[in-house]
Amino acid sequence: MTNFKHLLLAAALVTPGAFTAATATAQVAGIAVGDPEAAVANSKAWATARTQIQTTYKAQLDQANTRRQAITTELQPLVAAYQKAAAAPGATEASLRTQAQAIQTREQTANAELQRLTAPASRAQAYAIEQISAKLPDAVNGAVRAKNVSLLLRPNAALFAQPTTDITSAITAELDRLVPTVGITPPANWQPGQQGEGAPAAAATAPAAPAATTRAPTGR
């Protein structure tokens, strides 16, 4: 499942001119940093949507968590047997391949099952994030103008930045003003990326896609 950061990056990139415009409209020279993903993640609309999704799809999410735990329990003895065989004298990749492939196949099947169970919640997450992210360029523009910023960098692009130069919270405040709430029920014909023309399908910050946690071995 696509992670939250990638989802928000894609949503921001659908309107690449927006960030350039924000820089161009700054009135006073100044450099700041801002994290658009964190701004969206901290928005009131997302917090509310996340709670609504966890409530609305509680049955499916609980079922997925139960299945994840059961699958992990099921895989543990298989992995233990593989590890024991791998530690035995004379063990080779060829001799371990059948066990490794069996574990990997079971894990892949389990993760596919979990994704099916959490698909409705994942779809709702994608819909909520896409609505918020659609306002992200406007929020950046507003924060940049208010703070008189002429150059806005991502935090990881700056070697050093004083906390006072971080306008992420200002971007979040603009998002709260522009999009106070979002829906979590997409239209029947909605597909992820329709608003953003290519945004990925889901976010990973809410527990909508618990995966089997036992890692399948890959051989020696």
Side-chain angles (χ1 to χ4, degrees), residues 6-19 129-130 132-137 154 192-200:
H6 287 169
L7 177 68
L8 298 179
L9 280 172
L13 290 174
V14 299
T15 51
F19 293 100
I129 289 294
E130 196 166 284
I132 301 169
S133 298
K135 296 295 185 181
L136 182 57
R154 289 183 175 276
Q194 283 183 341
Q195 284 183 259
E197 299 179 359

Side-chain angles (χ1 to χ4, degrees), residues 86-114:
T92 65
E93 182 177 353
S95 67
L96 298 169
R97 184 174 298 120
T98 299
Q99 285 177 279
Q101 289 177 342
I103 295 171
Q104 290 172 340
T105 299
R106 182 65 189 96
E107 189 176 40
Q108 290 168 358
T109 301
N111 285 331
E113 178 187 358
L114 295 176

Side-chain angles (χ1 to χ4, degrees), residues 20-175:
T20 302
T23 299
T25 56
Q27 299 300 312
V28 178
I31 299 175
V33 296
D35 187 336
E37 293 82 33
V40 174
N42 292 332
S43 67
K44 293 178 181 177
W46 172 240
T48 300
R50 185 174 63 246
T51 299
Q52 291 174 339
I53 290 168
Q54 290 171 345
T55 300
T56 302
Y57 299 100
K58 185 178 186 302
Q60 294 94 324
L61 295 175
D62 286 350
Q63 184 181 2
N65 281 325
T66 299
R67 285 297 298 139
R68 177 182 55 78
Q69 293 168 6
I71 291 163
T72 299
T73 300
E74 175 187 336
L75 286 172
Q76 283 175 344
L78 300 179
V79 173
Y82 171 88
Q83 292 172 338
K84 182 178 180 179
T92 65
E93 182 177 353
S95 67
L96 298 169
R97 184 174 298 120
T98 299
Q99 285 177 279
Q101 289 177 342
I103 295 171
Q104 290 172 340
T105 299
R106 182 65 189 96
E107 189 176 40
Q108 290 168 358
T109 301
N111 285 331
E113 178 187 358
L114 295 176
Q115 288 178 3
R116 287 193 298 272
L117 289 172
T118 58
S122 296
R123 180 176 167 84
Q125 287 181 34
Y127 185 57
I129 289 294
E130 196 166 284
Q131 293 171 82
I132 301 169
S133 298
K135 296 295 185 181
L136 182 57
D138 291 339
V140 171
N141 279 334
V144 162
R145 286 194 299 267
K147 299 293 184 179
N148 292 322
V149 172
S150 59
L151 177 62
L152 181 62
L153 303 173
R154 289 183 175 276
N156 59 4
L159 182 62
F160 172 78
Q162 291 284 358
T164 53
T165 65
D166 191 330
I167 67 167
T168 301
S169 60
I171 298 173
T172 296
E174 284 293 308
L175 282 173

